[in-house]
Amino acid sequence: MSAAPTPSRTLVWDAPVRVVHWLLAFSVLGAFLTAESERWRLVHATLGYSAGGLVAFRLLWGVFGTRHARFREFVRGPAAVLRYFASLVGPRPE
C-alpha cells in the first residue's frame, strides 16, 4: 500500500499583492459606506487617499515586483489587452 502523494501548492500571487487587494477592497467599501455622512468625512477622505496609494503601489509592484506579481506574467499581456481594446472600435472585434 503506497502513501497518497501530497498535493503541491502553487502560489499565483505573492503576499504584497494579496494584502494590497484586500486593503483596497476594504478601503473602497469603507469609503462607499462613509460617503453620505458629514460626521465621517475625514474617514472617507483618508480611505480615498489610501485607495489611491494602494493602486499606485500595485502599479509599481506590477512593473518592479516579484516574478508572479509582474504584469507581463498575466495570462494576456498588456500589449494583447491594448490590441483587444483597439479592435473594439473596428468592424471585427477580437
Side-chain angles (χ1 to χ4, degrees):
M1 196 181 236
S2 65
T6 58
S8 63
R9 288 181 56 187
T10 303
L11 295 178
V12 178
W13 304 113
D14 59 1
V17 171
R18 291 172 190 242
V19 169
V20 165
H21 171 85
W22 285 109
L23 287 175
L24 181 60
F26 288 129
S27 294
V28 170
L29 178 64
F32 176 76
L33 293 174
T34 59
E36 298 298 323
S37 174
E38 193 63 34
R39 181 178 179 189
W40 294 96
R41 183 176 176 188
L42 181 60
V43 172
H44 176 78
T46 302
L47 290 170
Y49 283 121
S50 297
L54 290 166
V55 169
F57 172 81
R58 181 60 184 107
L59 289 172
L60 289 172
W61 196 247
V63 175
F64 301 110
T66 60
R67 189 181 99 196
H68 294 295
R70 292 189 181 181
F71 296 136
R72 67 177 175 197
E73 295 294 325
F74 283 6
V75 174
R76 302 265 191 244
V81 171
L82 290 174
R83 219 174 22 257
Y84 169 74
F85 281 125
S87 77
L88 291 179
V89 297
R92 301 187 70 203
E94 290 183 24

